[in-house]
Amino acid sequence: MSEKLTVLVTGFGPFPGAPFNPTMPLVKRLTQLRRPAFDDVKLESHIFRVTYDTADRELPELIARIRPQALLMFGLAGRTAHLRIETRARNAVTTLVSDAGRRRARKGSIVDGADATMLGPHTAKLLRAALATGIDARSSRDAGSYLCNYLSWRAIEAVGKDGPRLAAFVHVPLIPRNGASLRKGTERITLEQLVDAGEALLMEMVKLARRPTLSSRT
């Protein structure tokens, strides 16, 4: 029997301008999945408070305690109507918007002397997996300059050290909290569609993390 593999699935709580964050119910649903493909997989979940201090403190603690082989992160992109598979993190932090702890970044970069850092070629496989569920999913090169981008950067740093073998960040659109349409006559992605796509992403992450080596060409 293969060694049990651990996947950490994360989301975010509410933040200024977004009192409802759909990543919370999404992460809960995903980590409660019972599928034969996950029989030898341990699914762990975590919801980050939307603050820079929380990301800096809790991500290293989670990786040290859980020791996941793969990290699948979700965040809200309220102005986007489709699923976004992020391909990189930008060395950028907004100094204009406060986090949920009312803190603003003092400078517009995460680290000195860098531009952007890539999540990896596996993002192309994740995009194909999501599209296969029928959801509107697209590749993205801009994770913004708020906590989603910041957490992505820190996760990539962790992969480069003794952390998970691979990490991915996925932006989800705003969905109705009660299942009704946000606007009459407007079709929106539903929670059920997000769960289906998230399950496909999880399966692909498990498959990739089990490979003996992660080739730069795959």
Side-chain angles (χ1 to χ4, degrees), residues 6-10 27 31 42-46 65-66 68 72:
T6 301
V7 181
L8 174 59
V9 186
T10 75
V27 168
T31 51
K42 185 177 182 182
L43 299 176
E44 296 277 1
S45 67
H46 185 76
R65 176 169 56 85
I66 297 173
L72 178 58

Side-chain angles (χ1 to χ4, degrees), residues 70-113:
L71 174 58
L72 178 58
M73 303 166 285
F74 291 95
L76 170 64
R79 296 181 180 179
T80 304
H82 55 271
L83 200 72
R84 283 169 35 191
I85 309 296
E86 301 298 340
T87 61
R88 65 177 191 163
R90 299 165 56 237
N91 186 23
V93 183
T94 179
T95 59
L96 302 176
V97 181
S98 300
D99 63 17
R102 298 184 179 180
R103 172 195 166 191
R104 290 190 186 186
R106 294 183 178 180
K107 63 178 184 177
S109 61
I110 302 173
V111 298
D112 294 329

